[in-house]
Amino acid sequence: MENADDAPFPHGYQAVRRDQTLREQIVAHGLKLTPSGLSQGTSGNLSVRSDGGFLITPSGTPYEEITAEGVVQVAMDGSHAPGLRPSSEWRFHRDIYAARPDVHAVVHAHPPYSTALAMCRMDIPAAHYMIAVGGGDSIRCAGYYTYGTQELSDAAVRALEGRLACLLANHGMIAVGATMEQAMWRAVEVETLARQYTLALQVGKPALLNDDEVAQVLEKFGNYGLMSRKDASS
């Protein structure tokens, strides 16, 4: 007779365990937003792709008060359990996942330098080789639309075409990744790049890398640390 301890896990156990792990990832990385300089108060939001949709931080809740149970499961049609309120920016999270099968995590934040450039509606050009963290030769600034609207979501998806990060005019920034760890790392790197570019503009006119120079860096970044990680479960 088969020992009960050796029996296979009940159907669905692995899915439940994975869901809990993803929820805990959101809670843990949410607590890093303020110390990392990416956000303050309740601003910003995080999500990860999950079965049938995505998990996202709740609306208007301080990160230190978010629990794994309080993370909101949202279906791709925008529906969610009654009594829970997902971030008001759930639309662009949903639409990024729909448009980009390579993306498994999204970080949205309002860090000072990225937001300052977004307030000026400026792209970040190839003034430093770390532009490669954004997946191309620039980090585009999407047009301005009211937060939480479909228009903003559409603009964000356009700005992210062929890219891994973008700015949102008069708003903030978005970074995406194959994992939450990667998306958070990218968000910090984009904010660092924004700070460096802002300082360079105060000194003079930054010299930009040409297309060949950017292409070489993008090729090298294929094996660069977190850039090379493709495992969404990590």
Side-chain angles (χ1 to χ4, degrees):
M1 180 177 179
E2 183 180 49
N3 188 306
D5 292 336
D6 297 328
F9 288 128
H11 179 70
Y13 174 86
Q14 295 293 350
V16 171
R17 182 60 246 171
R18 183 173 185 273
D19 177 88
Q20 182 65 20
T21 298
L22 294 175
R23 289 172 178 273
E24 290 169 358
Q25 285 182 8
I26 289 179
V27 172
H29 284 87
L31 291 172
K32 297 178 181 179
L33 281 176
T34 297
S36 69
L38 287 176
S39 208
Q40 54 285 318
T42 62
S43 66
N45 32 78
L46 308 175
S47 74
V48 292
R49 188 190 293 271
S50 65
D51 295 338
F54 56 99
L55 294 161
I56 191 168
T57 47
S59 178
T61 305
Y63 289 99
E64 61 272 17
E65 295 180 11
I66 297 176
T67 64
E69 294 71 26
V71 171
V72 185
Q73 170 77 47
V74 181
M76 293 303 283
D77 63 3
S79 62
H80 55 85
L84 297 175
R85 293 179 57 213
S87 165
S88 59
E89 302 290 14
W90 65 266
R91 285 180 178 81
F92 66 61
H93 290 259
R94 186 267 312 274
D95 293 345
I96 290 169
Y97 291 130
R100 296 284 297 273
D102 59 311
V103 172
H104 290 266
V106 176
V107 173
H108 168 55
H110 304 162
Y113 289 92
S114 295
T115 302
L117 293 176
M119 290 164 67
C120 295
R121 304 191 180 186
M122 296 171 63
D123 296 348
I124 303 177
H128 190 285
Y129 74 81
M130 285 298 285
I131 194 70
V133 300
D137 64 357
S138 67
I139 295 172
R140 305 184 187 108
C141 184
Y144 176 77
Y145 296 94
T146 304
Y147 77 91
T149 62
Q150 187 61 50
E151 291 82 2
L152 176 61
S153 179
D154 293 342
V157 171
R158 287 194 298 270
L160 284 168
E161 289 180 4
R163 297 290 190 273
L164 298 167
C166 72
L167 305 182
L168 302 175
N170 305 88
H171 188 153
M173 59 92 76
I174 296 173
V176 304
T179 67
M180 176 54 68
E181 182 184 19
Q182 188 186 80
M184 283 286 290
W185 166 79
R186 179 165 289 117
V188 171
E189 292 293 344
V190 169
E191 173 62 1
T192 299
L193 189 62
R195 182 172 71 249
Q196 293 166 339
Y197 182 53
T198 300
L199 291 171
L201 289 172
Q202 295 176 43
V203 175
K205 183 178 180 180
L208 303 184
L209 303 179
N210 61 41
D211 291 346
D212 288 341
E213 290 167 333
V214 172
Q216 289 174 23
V217 176
L218 286 169
E219 182 178 0
K220 289 175 72 69
F221 264 47
N223 296 310
Y224 178 81
L226 282 170
M227 282 285 285
S228 64
R229 296 188 186 177
K230 306 297 183 185
D231 182 7
S233 66
S234 65

